[in-house]
Amino acid sequence: MEFIVLEQFSGILCSAPDALATATLSPHLARLNIPLGTVGCNPKLSVFNESGDVCLALGEPRFSDPALQDVNTLRGPSAAWMQAFCTQGEAALQQVRGRFCVVLIRNDGSDALLATDRFGTWPICYAAQAGALHFSDRADTIPGVTRQVSSQAVFEYLFFHMIPAPTTIFEGVSRLPAGHLLKWEAGSAQCICWWQPTFDEQHAPDFTEAKQQFLQIIQDGVTREAAGHNVGTFLSGGTDSSTVTGMLCKTLGAPAHSYSIGFDASGYDEMEYARIAAKHFGAEHHEYYVTPDDLLDGIPRVATHYDQPFGNSSAVPAWICASRAREDGIDKILAGDGGDELFGGNTRYAKQRVFGWYDSVPGLLRRGLLEPGLALPGMDRIPLVKKGVSYVEQARVPMPDRIHMYNMLVRLGMDNVFEPDFLARIDTDRPQREQREVWQATNAKSHINRMLAYDWKYTLADNDLPKVIGTTQLAGLDVDFPLLSDELLAFSATLPPEWKLKRLTLRWFFKEALRGFLPDEIISKKKHGFGLPFGVWACQHAGLKALASDALSSFRGRGIVKAAFIDDLLNIHLPAHPGYYGEMVWILMMMEFWMREHETNR
């Protein structure tokens, strides 16, 4: 058996005992042949072969067993994984921290175990067909599988602006969800959840002790991730990125390189706060203002880089920011993602608590007075009463369905957007069913912890982390997330729910613990981020307008979205409401560029 190992990996496993397991990928990358019985290690991929068993590993796992960590250091992650699985079986996953994915192939390919970390930051995609398991780290490079675009996946992309795992854009190809493993035995595959968060909602820690532990965990994480690298940070000026930047300056004992992106558009720029944070910590700050011309190059490059359509509109600014850092010689950048989702910082958490108050109103009063009264004709036209009508309408919808009441497709109406033939091929209710399953599976009683666990999948694992990982990869940088370390994740689960959302105060503990470390202006500012004024620019900039029009003109011929809807979108809705409808133009445009590329390379 021989492995052709590249920077990433893929393979085919068969149930037949004499089947050949191969690892191949991306033909543009240099090949490295590793014969049996040797260890092959590089910063991206580690391979270990022993007695007919093979282990492939990506990432930088940290083993809690000192002996295994020694093996990890001396012989590579794949050798440590092999030993861990031999002694502990799949329970070994519980003892490993960090970002990783691993594939253990046994019995010449007839048995295997594939696993990814708690946030799925090193993905594994697979297809089980005719007694064979096909796998890769990308959905578009799985060997031996015909790539056919799934109509259901197209719909879910347009619904979520990304495709949540386990679905991928291709029929019959799945992505291993975060914190899951895949067991391949006797020609069949079984997907199992190996990690699920457990919240200690009865714990009442001492605030001073909790603050000290919190700050130490963050500092340790930043120190660990910065070691051995010419490192910098993304700095948006928010609490998360400012915290990481400040801790990096403290760790280095010298000014850290921080990188910020600005937009010369009203309501979209927060460079002022990035400057405040950089000055406060003494960072060596780098600024760049994105222009519409930057997007002309960036949009097609970012859209086609991903293995499936990805519509997060801040991906292009993130790539531009990462590229500037790479030009300066930075080889690893630290991102602040995770603080909101671990400690209760998203504005919708407070909004949903307000709706949750309706449940405390006695049922007899709700059903006998409020709801009948507010349902009377004309009540929704009285200014003050109108808000009450809207509040009750939303409050009556259970979670998590309430989250998507204002989803663009729901608001516009599926029949108004999609071609009838396309609608007939899809299940429009599947996204809500799958979200309900995630919501119900959460091991938490409090509303805030349920929302956090929900966001760990849909906001982090499926959206924000692929955005940052994909765009930094395109720029040629490594990236890590100190605020998503397993240590900080476990710590956050021990905090009382009211420390995360105190009445309507978001991330109360996080801000109070950082008071005195962060500038007061940063703690009190509203959340922003690398928002992109695409809709505004698409109406003003001739080149960007032409790019969007060309992409949507091609997309209208794919039998997915009604041609009349696209015409109205470009000619009526976008000019009238560029901030709102610009997002729809963006996600259609990104899908079209992705489809063009993959049709060419199929």
Side-chain angles (χ1 to χ4, degrees):
M1 184 189 303
E2 182 182 61
F3 281 85
I4 303 172
V5 179
L6 306 177
E7 187 171 342
Q8 295 160 317
F9 65 89
S10 64
I12 305 174
L13 307 178
C14 299
S15 56
D18 59 347
L20 177 66
T22 62
T24 62
L25 196 76
S26 307
H28 63 280
L29 295 174
R31 295 189 174 190
L32 172 65
N33 293 320
I34 302 178
L36 281 171
T38 66
V39 180
C41 295
N42 62 49
K44 298 297 183 183
L45 184 142
S46 169
V47 180
F48 185 74
N49 309 318
E50 185 176 67
S51 302
D53 295 341
V54 182
C55 188
L56 308 172
L58 284 167
E60 297 179 345
R62 292 180 286 117
F63 295 84
S64 58
D65 183 338
L68 289 175
Q69 187 58 33
D70 288 343
V71 174
N72 182 34
T73 302
L74 296 174
R75 306 176 69 191
S78 55
W81 276 118
M82 180 80 81
Q83 185 171 325
F85 285 131
C86 287
T87 57
Q88 303 175 45
E90 62 192 60
L93 292 162
Q94 304 291 342
Q95 309 302 318
V96 184
R97 296 173 177 175
R99 294 179 51 206
F100 63 82
C101 73
V102 58
V103 176
L104 175 65
I105 303 169
R106 309 194 67 176
N107 302 321
D108 293 324
S110 60
D111 299 313
L113 185 149
L114 295 72
T116 188
D117 62 50
R118 290 166 178 81
F119 288 106
T121 61
W122 285 102
I124 300 178
C125 299
Y126 64 93
Q129 299 179 0
L133 180 69
H134 310 246
F135 69 90
S136 176
D137 63 322
R138 291 177 60 99
D140 59 351
T141 55
I142 295 180
V145 173
T146 301
R147 296 198 295 272
Q148 180 179 349
V149 170
S150 161
S151 295
Q152 184 67 38
V154 169
F155 170 73
E156 296 191 13
Y157 164 78
L158 296 175
F159 187 92
F160 291 106
H161 304 184
M162 49 78 181
I163 303 174
T167 302
T168 75
I169 190 63
F170 300 112
E171 292 279 3
V173 176
S174 298
R175 185 182 303 274
L176 198 60
H180 279 65
L181 64 88
L182 189 78
K183 295 179 71 173
W184 170 255
E185 297 176 324
S188 64
Q190 181 184 14
C191 186
I192 302 169
C193 178
W194 70 263
W195 177 79
Q196 189 172 12
T198 300
F199 295 94
D200 180 3
E201 300 186 337
Q202 304 302 316
H203 184 56
D206 176 78
F207 176 84
T208 301
E209 292 179 0
K211 173 182 176 178
Q212 293 173 347
Q213 184 182 4
F214 167 76
L215 294 174
Q216 191 62 54
I217 291 173
I218 296 177
Q219 184 174 344
D220 290 346
V222 170
T223 301
R224 180 175 58 246
E225 301 305 343
H229 292 277
N230 187 13
V231 67
T233 67
F234 284 126
L235 179 58
S236 70
T239 53
D240 295 337
S241 63
S242 297
T243 298
V244 172
T245 299
M247 284 296 183
L248 183 59
C249 289
K250 183 177 180 180
T251 291
L252 298 176
H257 290 273
S258 60
Y259 290 84
S260 297
I261 287 293
F263 306 100
D264 188 12
S266 178
Y268 289 87
D269 185 53
E270 63 168 357
M271 190 69 79
E272 173 190 356
Y273 292 99
R275 292 168 183 158
I276 290 172
K279 181 178 180 180
H280 179 80
F281 293 115
E284 186 171 337
H285 189 49
H286 307 263
E287 299 179 0
Y288 182 74
Y289 273 80
V290 176
T291 69
D293 287 331
D294 292 324
L295 301 188
L296 295 178
D297 173 56
I299 287 172
R301 293 186 66 176
V302 171
T304 56
H305 170 71
Y306 285 91
D307 62 342
Q308 59 183 353
F310 187 70
N312 188 318
S313 59
S314 61
V316 174
W319 168 70
I320 292 171
C321 192
S323 298
R324 306 288 293 190
R326 188 70 184 90
E327 290 171 2
D328 289 344
I330 299 296
D331 59 42
K332 186 175 189 178
I333 199 157
L334 303 183
D337 297 78
D340 284 332
E341 290 75 23
L342 264 61
F343 295 95
N346 288 321
T347 55
R348 63 178 172 275
Y349 300 152
K351 180 179 180 180
Q352 295 306 330
R353 168 161 285 185
V354 171
F355 289 125
W357 289 341
Y358 189 67
D359 293 335
S360 64
V361 177
L364 184 61
L365 180 59
R366 293 201 308 264
R367 295 187 298 271
L369 180 61
L370 286 176
E371 292 171 8
L374 293 173
L376 292 173
M379 297 297 281
D380 59 349
R381 294 193 296 271
I382 303 173
L384 292 178
V385 179
K386 182 178 180 180
K387 292 185 177 181
V389 173
S390 176
Y391 171 80
V392 171
E393 177 187 2
Q394 294 180 70
R396 292 178 65 185
V397 177
M399 291 288 284
D401 293 11
R402 192 191 304 146
I403 293 175
H404 287 292
M405 284 187 68
Y406 284 87
N407 180 281
M408 187 174 290
L409 293 184
V410 174
R411 301 290 288 179
L412 294 174
M414 306 290 181
D415 292 338
N416 296 324
V417 175
F418 294 111
E419 291 284 4
D421 288 347
F422 178 79
L423 277 177
R425 299 196 302 270
I426 64 173
D427 179 356
T428 57
D429 293 329
R430 197 174 89 164
Q432 288 187 315
R433 287 200 308 272
E434 293 182 346
Q435 290 174 89
R436 290 169 196 155
E437 291 174 3
V438 171
W439 185 266
Q440 293 301 324
T442 301
N443 181 20
K445 294 181 180 179
S446 68
H447 204 63
I448 179 62
N449 281 337
R450 279 187 174 272
M451 286 191 287
L452 295 181
Y454 172 93
D455 274 346
W456 293 353
K457 171 178 169 48
Y458 287 104
T459 299
L460 289 176
D462 290 330
N463 196 342
D464 287 353
L465 299 183
K467 174 197 73 177
V468 180
I469 293 168
T471 53
T472 51
Q473 180 189 64
L474 180 60
L477 284 176
D478 284 336
V479 66
D480 232 307
F481 309 93
L483 299 186
L484 282 176
S485 70
D486 294 303
E487 292 84 356
L488 196 60
L489 176 64
F491 171 82
S492 72
T494 68
L495 295 180
E498 59 270 21
W499 284 20
K500 300 171 182 176
L501 180 60
K502 194 167 189 176
R503 292 182 289 276
L504 296 180
T505 300
L506 298 168
R507 61 196 306 174
W508 175 83
F509 171 79
F510 189 95
K511 291 179 178 180
E512 291 303 313
L514 288 164
R515 198 172 294 279
F517 180 76
L518 292 178
D520 290 341
E521 300 95 323
I522 300 296
I523 290 177
S524 61
K525 75 176 287 293
K526 292 183 178 180
K527 181 177 173 60
H528 196 87
F530 289 157
L532 178 67
F534 170 75
V536 175
W537 286 350
C539 294
Q540 299 172 349
H541 188 270
L544 203 54
K545 184 176 182 179
L547 186 74
S549 296
D550 173 70
L552 267 63
S553 294
S554 298
F555 192 78
R556 66 187 292 168
R558 296 188 179 277
I560 298 170
V561 173
K562 289 183 175 180
F565 173 78
I566 290 179
D567 291 340
D568 289 346
L569 178 63
L570 290 173
N571 300 322
I572 300 174
H573 301 314
L574 179 63
H577 304 283
Y580 184 75
Y581 287 100
E583 191 72 10
M584 176 61 78
V585 174
W586 179 273
I587 62 173
L588 293 176
M589 179 179 62
M590 297 299 276
M591 171 166 272
E592 173 60 26
F593 280 117
W594 184 90
M595 286 184 161
R596 289 179 185 178
E597 175 72 11
H598 283 74
E599 286 171 345
T600 301
N601 294 335
R602 183 176 300 179

